[in-house]
């Protein structure tokens, strides 16, 4: 039997549709499209050049310095402009945090709390300041740390025993005996020479109220110097020792322990309330140099003698800090703590000394005072 005429016409119809360029029908009724029917549109040359220029311009913008930043601690994520008023020379490296060290011979948590709170209150970046307090040995007693944290919960405070310095510095040696005789004057240097801290730190005397920005000190470019200090020009080298004595010591002492050029009798003594120290740059023989000068002469006041010895050991080998970091008047960046405090006698007995001002009360309320007393 011949096939049905309808069945013979279906292949022929498909062939005709293909010849016309019509797509064959998909089994589900969808038509198959051919990509070569309509060619893709061509971009205009002017638009292509404009797009390339925009990419180049945006790429170049990435090399411009940033003008604003966002503080991650700000919940509103506000944009804050950078302060460009400071000389770029003062900011050679990006300093993420400022390490503050302080040594206290007669423990008084009130002074440490005022030092901490005044420093934080005066800072533009308080979250990046860490405080390291070296206190007298108290065995396993951790209460000083917990009391400070109770009063200042948002502060970054560490309390360590002075015994850690003692373990690093043999007290049986002449250097050790010298240090323990004058810890307030030598602790800023000993912290670095014993590698108790291997990072740059700012040493602040414990009985201080800080009004200036501590980060300004932490970011100072020390150059080749290991120490930056304030000068006390109310006291000069010539007030304590003659140039003839200095010249005689220069001739007899080891050359690496003394300054090789002539000393200036009008040179100012160093102030020990504020120092910036870079431990990695400290001379290994710095303590030996201090001992040479300490033994070279005898003054009526031993503390003047050690200050003079340190000044001569560091002569012309330190960076001078701005004079506003010298305790002078109410306009200075650092003031004396003027509240009540403990004073230790020679036998170790603690006595109460009354305050002579009210500046300290701005940083310590009555409730905190009750916790710390």
């Amino acid at each position: 039997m011949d096939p049905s005429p309808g069945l013979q016409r279906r292949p022929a119809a498909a062939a005709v549709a293909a010849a016309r360029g019509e797509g064959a029908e998909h089994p589900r009724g969808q038509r198959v499209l051919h990509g070569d029917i309509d060619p893709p549109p061509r971009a205009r040359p002017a638009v292509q050049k404009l797009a390339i220029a925009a990419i180049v311009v945006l790429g170049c913008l990435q090399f411009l310095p940033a003008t604003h930043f966002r503080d991650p601690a700000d919940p509103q994520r506000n944009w804050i402009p950078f302060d460009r008023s400071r000389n770029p020379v003062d900011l050679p490296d990006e300093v993420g945090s400022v390490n503050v060290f302080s040594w206290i011979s007669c423990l008084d948590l009130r002074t440490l709390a005022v030092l901490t709170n005044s420093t934080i209150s005066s800072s533009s970046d308080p979250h990046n300041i860490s405080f390291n307090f070296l206190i007298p040995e108290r065995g396993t007693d951790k209460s000083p740390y917990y009391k400070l944290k109770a009063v200042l919960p948002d502060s970054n405070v560490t309390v360590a025993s002075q015994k850690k310095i003692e373990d690093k510095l043999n007290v049986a040696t002449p250097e050790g005996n010298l240090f323990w005789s004058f810890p307030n004057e030598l602790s800023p240097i000993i912290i670095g020479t014993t590698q108790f801290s291997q990072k740059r730190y700012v040493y602040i005397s414990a009985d201080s109220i800080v009004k200036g920005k501590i980060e300004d000190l932490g970011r100072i470019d020390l150059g080749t110097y290991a120490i930056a200090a304030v000068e006390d020009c109310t006291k000069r080298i010539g007030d304590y020792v003659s140039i003839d004595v200095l010249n005689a010591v220069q001739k007899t002492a080891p050359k690496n322990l003394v300054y090789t050029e002539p000393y200036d009798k009008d040179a100012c003594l160093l102030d020990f309330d504020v120092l910036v120290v870079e431990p990695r740059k400290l001379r290994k023989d710095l303590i030996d140099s201090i001992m040479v000068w300490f033994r070279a002469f005898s003054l009526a006041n031993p503390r003047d003698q050690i200050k003079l010895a340190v000044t001569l050991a560091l002569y012309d080998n330190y960076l001078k800090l701005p004079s506003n970091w010298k305790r002078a008047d109410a306009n200075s960046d650092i003031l004396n703590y003027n509240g009540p405090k403990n004073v230790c006698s020679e036998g170790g007995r603690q006595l109460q000394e009354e305050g002579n001002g009210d500046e300290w009360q701005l940083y310590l309320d009555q409730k905190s005072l009750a916790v710390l007393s």
Side-chain angles (χ1 to χ4, degrees):
M1 179 182 291
D2 292 334
S4 172
L7 294 177
Q8 290 179 346
R9 287 195 296 267
R10 286 182 181 176
V16 173
R20 293 178 179 177
E22 299 178 359
E25 291 191 359
H26 192 271
R28 294 185 179 180
Q30 297 178 350
R31 185 175 298 278
V32 178
L33 299 179
H34 295 276
D36 57 349
I37 296 176
D38 297 321
R42 292 184 178 180
R44 297 178 181 178
V47 175
Q48 287 181 324
K49 293 179 180 179
L50 181 61
I52 293 174
I55 293 173
V56 172
V57 171
L58 292 175
C60 292
L61 290 177
Q62 302 301 314
F63 296 97
L64 293 178
T67 59
H68 292 69
F69 70 97
R70 281 177 172 172
D71 185 353
D74 182 4
Q76 297 182 351
R77 306 291 287 169
N78 294 319
W79 286 101
I80 304 172
F82 279 112
D83 182 9
R84 298 293 179 187
S85 61
R86 187 175 306 282
N87 191 330
V89 175
D90 295 337
L91 302 171
D93 299 311
E94 199 66 31
V95 179
S97 63
V98 179
N99 296 313
V100 177
F101 272 84
S102 189
W103 176 287
I104 185 166
S105 297
C106 190
L107 183 60
D108 193 318
L109 296 179
R110 294 169 295 186
T111 61
L112 297 182
V114 170
L115 171 59
T116 303
N117 201 17
S118 63
T119 303
I120 291 175
S121 301
S122 303
S123 172
S124 59
D125 193 12
H127 298 290
N128 279 329
I129 303 176
S130 61
F131 298 88
N132 307 271
F133 297 131
L134 293 167
I135 67 172
E137 171 64 22
R138 297 177 63 89
T140 58
D141 182 13
K142 305 296 183 184
S143 61
Y145 168 77
Y146 292 115
K147 287 182 178 180
L148 287 173
K149 289 297 290 184
V151 172
L152 301 166
D154 295 330
S155 62
N156 184 5
V157 173
T158 299
V159 177
S161 171
Q162 294 169 359
K163 189 175 185 301
K164 292 188 175 182
I165 293 288
E166 180 181 347
D167 292 341
K168 290 177 176 291
L169 186 67
N170 188 353
V171 294
T173 63
E175 295 87 347
N177 287 328
L178 180 66
F179 169 70
W180 289 109
S181 299
F182 306 99
N184 292 331
E185 290 79 8
L186 293 179
S187 57
I189 299 172
I190 294 295
I191 290 170
T193 56
T194 57
Q195 295 186 340
F196 187 84
S197 174
Q198 297 184 4
K199 297 180 180 179
R200 174 189 289 202
Y201 58 87
V202 179
Y203 181 90
I204 303 289
S205 180
D207 59 339
S208 302
I209 298 176
V210 177
K211 306 286 286 186
K213 293 184 178 181
I214 200 72
E215 56 267 26
D216 289 348
L217 296 179
R219 296 167 182 165
I220 282 181
D221 182 10
L222 291 178
T224 60
Y225 297 117
I227 291 178
V230 182
E231 292 182 342
D232 181 6
C233 291
T234 63
K235 303 174 182 178
R236 300 181 184 272
I237 291 178
D239 297 337
Y240 298 95
V241 63
S242 68
I243 294 298
D244 293 337
V245 173
L246 296 180
N247 293 337
V249 175
Q250 274 186 308
K251 292 178 181 178
T252 58
K255 297 301 180 184
N256 62 311
L257 298 182
V258 295
Y259 187 63
T260 56
E261 300 296 326
Y263 287 91
D264 181 4
K265 66 180 180 63
D266 293 324
C268 304
L269 263 62
L270 295 183
D271 186 270
F272 294 87
D273 290 331
V274 180
L275 291 96
V276 181
V277 182
E278 182 63 71
R280 294 169 295 180
K281 296 180 181 178
L282 281 173
R283 289 165 43 197
K284 302 299 183 183
D285 57 1
L286 179 56
I287 299 299
D288 294 332
S289 179
I290 295 174
M291 290 189 64
V292 165
W293 287 112
F294 184 78
R295 292 169 173 171
F297 35 74
S298 178
L299 303 181
N301 187 336
R303 297 205 174 277
D304 288 339
Q305 185 169 334
I306 191 64
K307 290 180 179 179
L308 178 60
V310 174
T311 299
L312 292 171
L314 290 171
Y315 190 86
D316 201 32
N317 196 25
Y318 63 90
L319 180 70
K320 181 180 176 181
L321 288 178
S323 59
N324 52 298
W325 284 101
K326 171 76 175 69
R327 297 183 186 185
D329 51 40
N331 296 321
S332 301
D333 284 341
I334 183 170
L335 308 176
N336 278 313
Y337 170 81
N338 54 12
K341 63 180 179 180
N342 296 329
V343 179
C344 294
S345 63
E346 291 289 339
R349 182 183 176 186
Q350 282 193 351
L351 304 175
Q352 187 71 211
E353 184 178 280
E354 297 297 327
N356 56 6
D358 54 7
E359 184 79 20
W360 66 280
Q361 296 181 5
L362 298 175
Y363 308 102
L364 195 63
D365 55 34
Q366 291 299 317
K367 290 183 179 180
S368 300
L369 187 61
V371 174
L372 300 173
S373 298

